[in-house]
């Protein structure tokens, strides 16, 4: 739900006439997640909602779509975003300071390609932590390509292409920390591989937050990341497949095999799967695991990774096969799967059983 012109998503959600949004809402209503992360949803970028998220909730989610029951999310959070925030210095070295290439995060306008969190449970807004302002060069042993960025560019270039946030929600007197981000795709760069390197280090930042790394200082000046006793769930389009694709595999592998990540979901018997993905044929054949794909290109890019202390009951990827009556929610009138008719990503879900308090 992103457009290159600011305010377009606000206009498109102002009524209930958008067929693609109706399908997206029906998918959400079908899965009925209690907590939901939506990536690439335009909002102002300063931490507020211009009305587009509220419009989507009111005109689409709160109204039955394609035979599904309405769903209400009384709590929402629009994290501030680095996308489309124009740098004061030339970042890509072309001699011109302009968007989208010279955005601190790639974007045509501030808040382009942002993400939003919707919840049926209270969000502890005053306890949210973010690492939006952490400079890339301040990560120890970073992978920033040597010699590509000027000293001036390095002084303003932040690590997170959107934001890295820890959002606590309260569920039946238990606090779950949502660790959310949307790293840049590891492509659309040159021989210097600046996007691949940034994707790698954005994923490393997730691991460092889990590890409570000493160098971390959040946007409010608080040191460290998560505590050892914190229950958490990593959520995001991480733009990284541990086996296929163009990214640097080490960072995503370190994350999904982390000792505090529930291995059954990340790489075990409860890894989210689908029937539809198994029969999908991307333009470029990939190695095995097709039922774990979450993207039309034939990659696993989207993750819901709970901490090891949380009990996992079920998981899945919303990718109906051709026999499923909900198949039409991901295809056009001719039965073809195209990004412009829905999304190029598939919704990943995980059911958790929390302890009684």
């Amino acid at each position: 739900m992103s457009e290159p012109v600011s305010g377009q998503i606000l206009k498109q959600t102002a009524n209930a006439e958008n067929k693609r949004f109706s399908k997206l809402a029906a998918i959400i209503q079908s899965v009925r997640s209690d907590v939901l992360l939506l990536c690439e949803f335009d909002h102002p970028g300063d931490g507020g909602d211009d009305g587009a998220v509220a419009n989507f909730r009111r005109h689409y989610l709160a109204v039955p779509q394609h035979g599904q029951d309405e769903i209400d999310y009384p709590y929402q959070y629009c994290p501030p975003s680095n996308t489309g925030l124009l740098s004061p210095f030339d970042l890509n070295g072309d001699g011109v300071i302009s968007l989208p290439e010279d955005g601190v995060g790639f974007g045509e306008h501030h808040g382009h390609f942002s993400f939003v969190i919707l919840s049926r449970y209270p969000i502890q807004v005053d306890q949210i932590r973010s690492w939006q302002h952490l400079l890339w060069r301040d990560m120890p042993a970073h992978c920033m390509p040597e010699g590509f960025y000027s000293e001036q560019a390095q002084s303003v270039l932040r690590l997170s292409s959107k934001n890295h946030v820890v959002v606590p929600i309260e569920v039946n007197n238990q606090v779950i920390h949502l660790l959310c981000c949307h790293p840049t795709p590891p492509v659309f760069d040159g021989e210097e591989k600046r996007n691949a390197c940034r994707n790698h280090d954005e994923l490393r930042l997730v691991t460092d937050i889990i590890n409570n790394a000493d160098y971390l200082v959040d946007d409010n000046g608080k040191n460290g990341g998560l505590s050892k006793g914190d229950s958490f769930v990593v959520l995001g389009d991480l733009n990284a497949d541990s086996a296929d694709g163009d990214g640097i595999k080490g960072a995503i592998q370190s994350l999904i095999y982390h000792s505090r990540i529930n291995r059954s979901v990340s790489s075990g018997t409860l890894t989210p799967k689908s029937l539809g993905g198994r029969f999908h044929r991307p333009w470029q054949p990939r190695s095995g695991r097709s039922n774990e794909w979450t993207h039309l290109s034939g990659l696993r890019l989207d993750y819901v990774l709970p901490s090891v202390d949380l009990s996992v009951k079920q998981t899945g990827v919303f990718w109906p096969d051709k026999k499923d009556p909900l198949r039409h929610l991901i295809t056009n009138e001719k039965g073809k799967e195209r990004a412009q008719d829905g999304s190029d990503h598939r919704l990943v879900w995980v059911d958790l059983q929390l302890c009684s308090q």
Side-chain angles (χ1 to χ4, degrees), residues 96-128:
V96 179
I97 301 175
S98 62
L99 294 175
E101 292 284 351
D102 293 315
V104 178
F106 185 91
E108 297 283 0
H109 54 86
H110 194 196
H112 196 198
F113 305 122
S114 295
F115 59 83
V116 60
I117 298 165
L118 302 179
S119 178
R120 299 175 71 180
Y121 295 102
I123 296 174
Q124 296 183 343
V125 177
D126 59 341
Q127 298 298 315
I128 292 173

Side-chain angles (χ1 to χ4, degrees), residues 170-243:
E170 184 177 343
V171 185
N172 300 332
N173 299 317
Q174 184 172 351
V175 175
I176 308 295
H177 296 81
L178 311 178
L179 175 44
C180 305
C181 65
H182 183 188
T184 191
V187 289
F188 311 121
D189 48 21
E191 294 181 358
E192 81 293 336
K193 297 294 184 182
R194 65 187 186 276
N195 288 337
C197 291
R198 191 175 186 180
N199 175 273
H200 176 277
D201 284 354
E202 288 195 71
L203 291 171
R204 260 198 60 205
L205 179 56
V206 177
T207 301
D208 287 348
I209 292 171
I210 294 172
N211 287 341
N212 195 19
D214 292 339
Y215 78 91
L216 290 175
V217 179
D218 69 19
D219 294 332
N220 289 322
K222 183 177 178 180
N223 293 325
L226 291 168
S227 300
K228 287 186 177 180
D230 289 338
S231 298
F232 64 88
V233 181
V234 176
L235 295 164
D237 167 8
L238 302 185
N239 273 315
D241 187 302
S242 63

Side-chain angles (χ1 to χ4, degrees), residues 232-280:
F232 64 88
V233 181
V234 176
L235 295 164
D237 167 8
L238 302 185
N239 273 315
D241 187 302
S242 63
D244 293 314
D246 299 310
I248 302 170
K249 307 297 188 296
I252 187 63
Q253 291 172 352
S254 295
L255 176 60
I256 66 176
Y257 295 120
H258 194 286
S259 60
R260 291 191 66 189
I261 294 290
N262 195 310
R263 186 67 64 85
S264 67
V265 174
S266 64
S267 57
T269 56
L270 287 171
T271 300
K273 297 178 174 64
S274 71
L275 290 177
R278 184 174 59 181
F279 298 106
H280 176 67

Side-chain angles (χ1 to χ4, degrees), residues 145-185:
E146 185 175 355
F148 182 81
Y149 294 107
S150 68
E151 286 293 326
Q152 288 181 320
Q154 292 181 42
S155 72
V156 298
L157 183 55
R158 300 171 182 178
L159 173 56
S160 184
S161 56
K162 285 87 179 174
N163 202 340
H164 282 61
V165 296
V166 170
V167 180
I169 61 168
E170 184 177 343
V171 185
N172 300 332
N173 299 317
Q174 184 172 351
V175 175
I176 308 295
H177 296 81
L178 311 178
L179 175 44
C180 305
C181 65
H182 183 188
T184 191

